[in-house]
Amino acid sequence: MVPHLTNFVDSFMSRFIDIASADIEPSVGVTMLDTFLVMQEKGFLDSVAAEMLDKVDQVVFDSAADVRVRRGALKFMMAHTEGFDEVDGEQ
């Protein structure tokens, strides 16, 4: 991973979250969510606090949000949320 790019992502993450979750133009939010998927795949979101990512996840349940943004937020939430582990052998 490129250290300078990691520093850039860390510096602007709160703005990226704002764009993804609350931009007035739905296509901008969708593009940011698509970018988050790539960033997740490349490991750039590994150091981001879960509380910050929760702001994006909440868009999934926001009935006032554009359906395209909600769909993008759902894809992102599914990509960065781990599944449930089996507990005591139960399925």
Side-chain angles (χ1 to χ4, degrees):
M1 199 170 355
V2 181
H4 297 295
L5 192 51
T6 302
N7 290 339
F8 174 81
V9 169
D10 290 344
S11 296
F12 289 96
M13 184 51 64
S14 63
R15 180 63 185 126
F16 294 156
I17 299 260
D18 290 342
I19 292 169
S21 61
D23 198 272
I24 194 163
E25 179 59 43
S27 64
V28 174
V30 170
T31 300
M32 189 73 244
L33 289 161
D34 290 342
T35 303
F36 275 170
L37 289 171
V38 173
M39 292 167 68
Q40 175 72 28
E41 181 180 300
K42 302 295 182 185
F44 287 107
L45 302 182
D46 293 347
S47 63
V48 177
E51 294 80 22
M52 289 186 79
L53 298 178
D54 286 347
K55 292 178 185 178
V56 177
D57 296 346
Q58 291 172 2
V59 175
V60 172
F61 306 104
D62 182 1
S63 61
D66 185 274
V67 69
R68 295 170 293 169
V69 175
R70 291 177 71 189
R71 188 178 304 126
L74 178 60
K75 287 179 188 176
F76 176 68
M77 184 175 82
M78 291 171 54
H80 80 87
T81 304
E82 296 180 24
F84 296 96
D85 293 331
E86 290 183 25
V87 178
D88 297 326
E90 295 179 15
Q91 294 184 1

